[in-house]
Amino acid sequence: MGEFDLIRRYFTRPSPGAVVGVGDDCAILQTAPGMQLAISTDMLVEGRHFFPDVDPQSLGHKALAVNLSDLAACGARPLAFTLALALPSADATWLEPFAAGLWALADAHGCELIGGDTTRGPLNLCITVFGEVPGDATGPTRTHALLRSGAQAGDDVYVSGTLGEAALGLQHRLGRLQLVAPAAAACRARLERPTPRVALGLALRGIASACADVSDGLLGDLGHILERSTVGAQLDNAAVLACCQWANSGIDAQRVRDCVFSGGDDYELVFTAAPAHAAAVAAAAHASGTPVRRIGRIDTLPGLRVLDSLGRAVAASDSGFDHFAQADHTQTGIAA
Ligand code: ADP
Ligand code: MG
């Protein structure tokens, strides 16, 4: 199978939303009046972000999911994506399930594959997604996208879904932690098939003051919001731990804690909203079918404090995953 057969067979489908899709030198997208393009790229490298023996269908899902998660964090509606692929060989037994996982998630979000690049090389996947958000760059707000920069002192801090499960799944896969059957399956599923919170991101437009997706760990990604917004935050220790159903299940408490606060690959949304919008946040969570939990409050004191029920500081490592800060470069399963 040659390069162009491969593209035709696995990665070419009608893309009615695009003016020009796969097959020309550029794809062409028409932007709607009053809308802006939100664009994000994420690369997945074998041995770095996924295990060499990962199920290709899950990999197809995850490659797109991590990109859709960035659109979700901006409150952008997915439109289209491009796929750059380096493959060691044109292996149909790998390409078939990989494409199936990719298309299933793409179809679920109405996100069209409009182009890409295909080359021989060590397995490497790079997807760029294009989404749309309302906005007028000449107006006072410039965009209605959710940004990291809008958090204000007094805002509540929320997180969607669950935290730490993907990191627990990774620790289990690496043999550093023994999970029993139900936890192992749940955590592995979260590691390999994350759910991008697209509907929640859309529902939070006009409600959340700042938003980011949790790809590198809660403390790290919330830290990005604090930095961009030049504010600080205090988190309720118990509320954060309540985001993980395995927190009191007998698994080593410190390990669970590290995974919940600092583990990567959750692809949940961490966001802030004024207390006056608390009911609107609950309505957005309900309308999008996404559980949301309040975990703390923004304040003016820089930095991040984790407090127990008596208001005493609880030690928490404050860094998210940084590909160049960590000594252990053999770790895999951490994306974005
Ligand atoms: P060019 O040489 O002009 O960059 P290519 O010959 O590499 O174009 O690709 C031919 C067409 O196939 C282009 O429209 C390109 O966007 C598309 N394409 C290449 N690889 C992929 C892929 N993995 N998925 C989807 N479309 C692809
Ligand atoms: Mg090319």
Side-chain angles (χ1 to χ4, degrees), residues 105-137:
L105 188 64
D107 291 346
H109 290 278
C111 193
E112 298 178 345
L113 179 54
I114 56 166
D117 197 25
T118 306
T119 176
R120 190 187 290 274
L123 185 57
N124 189 329
L125 318 164
C126 184
I127 286 181
T128 298
V129 278
F130 303 85
E132 64 175 8
V133 285
D136 172 7

Side-chain angles (χ1 to χ4, degrees), residues 133-159:
V133 285
D136 172 7
T138 64
T141 55
R142 305 192 70 241
T143 182
H144 293 294
L146 302 175
L147 303 177
R148 294 175 173 183
S149 55
Q152 308 255 346
D155 286 355
D156 292 311
V157 180
Y158 299 88
V159 71

Side-chain angles (χ1 to χ4, degrees), residues 38 52 69 73 78 93:
S69 179
T93 64

